[in-house]
Amino acid sequence: MADAVTLDSVCKSFGALQAVQNFSLRIPTGITYGLLGPNGAGKTTLIRLIVGLLRADSGRVSVMGRPMPDKDMLAHIGYMTQTPAIYSDLTVRENVAFFGTMAGGVSPARVNEVIALVGLSDRADSLGRTLSGGMRQRTSLACALVHQPRLLLLDEPTVGVDPQLRVQFWDYFRQLNAQGVTIIVSSHVMDEAERCDRLGFIRQGQLIAEGTGADLLAQAGARTLEEAFLTFAGATQERPLQEKMPA
Amino acid sequence: MNRKRVITLAGRVIRQTLRDRRTVVLFLIGPLIIVSLTALLLRSEGRPAPLGIVNQDEGATVLLFGQVRLADRIVAAMSEGDALVPVPLPADEAEAALRAGRVRGVVTFPPDFSASFAGERRVRLQLTLEGSNPLQATAVLSALMQTGMRALAGLASGSAGGELPLSVDVTYLYGGPEYDLLDYLAPPYLVLIVFFFVFLLTTVTFLRERSQGTVERLMATPVTRLEIVTGYMLGFLAFALADAALLLGFTVTVIGLHYAGNLFDMLVIESLLVMVAVNLGIFLSTFARNEFQVLQFIPLVILPMVLLSGLLFPVEDLPGLFQPLAYLLPLTHASDALRAIMIRGQGLAEVGVQIVALLLTGMIMLALAAVTVRREVA
Ligand SMILES: Nc1ncnc2c1ncn2[C@@H]1O[C@H](COP(=O)(O)OP(=O)(O)OP(=O)(O)O)[C@@H](O)[C@H]1O
Ligand SMILES: [Mg+2]
């Protein structure tokens, strides 16, 4: 089957800062892929390049075989931003229905279904600004899911979400994978990384290692993914203190 | 009170403000620009008003003076004075000239003008005024009286009963003596209020949309920029039209505004203006990082419109170099059009020029807005 996402020597700079450098990666369809790296590594930039919100300075980005940016592809892509982007003057239900319509139209039943999925049924008619941080995060996830996208990009989706709900989310992501949906998750939480089918370690805009969790552990001769990351990071360059990742 | 803390707080406020270059520049330069502009407009001498002359006077023989044509003396006095510029017109073209705005009024001297002066020592002038601007009407009337009296001064010494030798019958093309300043100012006010609120509403709403990340999120859906801009326009149009209709209804019924036009025509003009205001708001929101910077657009964008669009000073009376500027502003055309509709009871066909001007401005603004909605939000 064709790859869900292909990145081919992609570069992106913001002024003098090289946020993504010569980045090549293939993500097969129907898996959950984890992008891992410290703050400022370039995870969000990479995700925005895949969605087509940013245009690569050089190299090629394609989604399901189509070069990005491509407006038509966006109907099949769900994007959850790192900080929840929802309207504070609309209710949860109105937010989800709005983004559903923007993505091409969804039924009211589908809106209720995703709201139930993120556990907000009892708050469906609350205004965005009256929600807790985690609830906003969940609303934002519902907005990304509502139009049943084939590719789901989630930028740190479970930050601020309580552990119980987090487990439910991952169960649901698994179900989506089974339906052929590809999920790309960015994270710097290692126990989340263990749930991904494949992982990409990113540091200073570069892919420093890539493979299944087991591959990476074996290659680095490490016992935990955190150890493995630090081994790969140390191999490319001496590791400054602030790049140490939170466990 | 801890002095160190207070001083540190003050220092922070200063540093923060200085870091916002634009605010500093505007804070220092802005008031200077506003004051000079206002002074320039207030100081500028009123231009002489063009006055149409229909001269049918056949002349008469006046005691001691022989054969005179009194009308010629009055017209000559006008040319000498600096308030009026006489424009000779054939009788059948007078009204057209007045309608087209080439003259502010038309004086008609009847064939027996001099003769009746020779007989009764008194004359009546007939003045037709355009009538939509009561200030201009009063100015023309008093200038005419003064000039006429000056011209007759030498002749009328023997006038009977201490009555003034000159009286003027005034007729109005539009409006009339019962139209006051409010009637004249209402159209531009309606325009300004709607423009101002729609502009502010859009700028702040769009700014919020940018800062809460929903523009970025919208850009990750198949929505096009044109769709976003059009959606915004329709949304605010609903408010603006409700606002305009309510305001008009209120002024007509409660305040007693005279209103001669068609409500639908008026709402068409308001809609065009909303199109300009929404797109200008979206465009300018790109240049504002916060609500405070939106406030700075008020003196920058709204004030020139207030000063130059015929709200306070009629555009024809602006100093020459401001006139082309005034016609670049959408508000000028919108208030011209609304005046034509509300006071003169004209229809959309008669304000075609203004409609085209508004449409053009609207299109340019729409293009600017669509470009600045930007896919790449940096
Ligand atoms: N719009 C922008 N303008 C300038 N620099 C930017 C912009 N967006 C990102 N950067 C820079 O690019 C680099 C990568 O940022 P990015 O947001 O991709 O990191 P990240 O891996 O998502 O970090 P985090 O874990 O903190 O979310 C950072 O150094 C950041 O400062
Ligand atoms: Mg990020």
Side-chain angles (χ1 to χ4, degrees), chain B residues 25 36 56 71 89 151 165 167 176 209 253 259 290:
Chain B
V25 171
S36 351
Q56 299 165 330
L89 291 170
S167 58
E209 182 130 14
T253 54
Y259 181 72
N290 48 49

Side-chain angles (χ1 to χ4, degrees), chain A residues 60-110:
Chain A
R60 282 162 34 94
V61 179
S62 48
V63 170
M64 299 175 231
R66 297 269 289 272
M68 297 300 284
D70 181 338
K71 271 261 171 231
D72 295 336
M73 282 312 292
L74 291 175
H76 308 292
I77 297 178
Y79 172 37
M80 176 182 173
T81 49
Q82 186 167 356
T83 41
I86 59 167
Y87 294 96
S88 47
D89 298 325
L90 296 187
T91 65
V92 171
R93 196 192 311 278
E94 287 163 349
N95 266 292
V96 176
F98 174 77
F99 283 110
T101 309
M102 291 299 118
V106 294
S107 67
R110 172 65 188 164

Side-chain angles (χ1 to χ4, degrees), chain B residues 78-271:
Chain B
M78 280 179 200
S79 305
E80 283 162 22
D82 51 11
L84 298 169
V85 177
V87 180
L89 291 170
D92 53 347
E93 280 173 26
E95 190 176 317
L98 193 55
R99 265 183 213 288
R102 273 182 279 131
V103 293
R104 299 263 170 93
V106 174
V107 192
T108 308
F109 299 97
D112 61 348
F113 185 70
S114 299
S116 71
F117 184 75
E120 301 162 33
R121 295 267 135 194
R122 283 196 286 122
V123 280
R124 303 184 76 78
L125 277 177
Q126 278 155 24
L127 174 65
T128 311
L129 288 170
E130 196 267 354
S132 56
N133 183 348
L135 285 184
Q136 267 177 11
T138 319
V140 170
L141 182 58
S142 74
L144 181 65
M145 285 293 281
Q146 279 176 23
T147 332
M149 293 295 284
R150 202 159 358 111
L152 297 177
L155 301 172
S157 47
S159 98
E163 262 182 86
L164 285 178
L166 178 74
S167 58
V168 180
D169 289 334
V170 186
T171 50
Y172 295 90
L173 197 55
Y174 310 108
E178 78 274 16
Y179 273 60
D180 58 15
L181 198 56
L182 178 69
D183 295 305
Y184 178 70
L185 290 182
Y189 262 107
L190 280 175
V191 162
L192 183 74
I193 290 169
V194 169
F195 188 88
F196 183 68
F197 281 111
V198 170
F199 169 76
L200 271 194
L201 215 59
T202 319
T203 318
V204 170
T205 312
F206 215 80
L207 185 78
R208 198 180 305 156
E209 182 130 14
R210 279 179 209 283
S211 57
Q212 73 188 356
T214 41
V215 171
E216 160 107 343
R217 181 61 185 75
L218 268 180
M219 288 304 175
T221 73
V223 172
T224 65
R225 304 173 211 205
L226 196 64
E227 282 167 348
I228 294 179
V229 173
T230 315
Y232 258 77
M233 233 154 61
L234 289 180
F236 285 123
L237 191 64
F239 280 108
L241 291 187
D243 189 26
L246 183 74
L247 201 60
L248 184 72
F250 181 79
T251 39
V252 170
T253 54
V254 179
I255 301 184
L257 187 81
H258 293 93
Y259 181 72
N262 176 328
L263 182 68
F264 174 79
D265 291 353
M266 189 194 132
L267 294 183
V268 168
I269 302 292
E270 291 280 2
S271 308

Side-chain angles (χ1 to χ4, degrees), chain A residues 14-15 17-19 37-46 48 54 82 155-156 186 188, chain B residues 377-378:
Chain A
F14 296 107
L17 188 122
Q18 292 213 312
N39 288 150
K43 305 181 293 292
T44 300
T45 307
L46 213 50
R48 292 175 68 202
L54 293 176
Q82 186 167 356
D155 203 348
E156 309 203 10
S186 83
H188 41 218
Chain B
V377 184

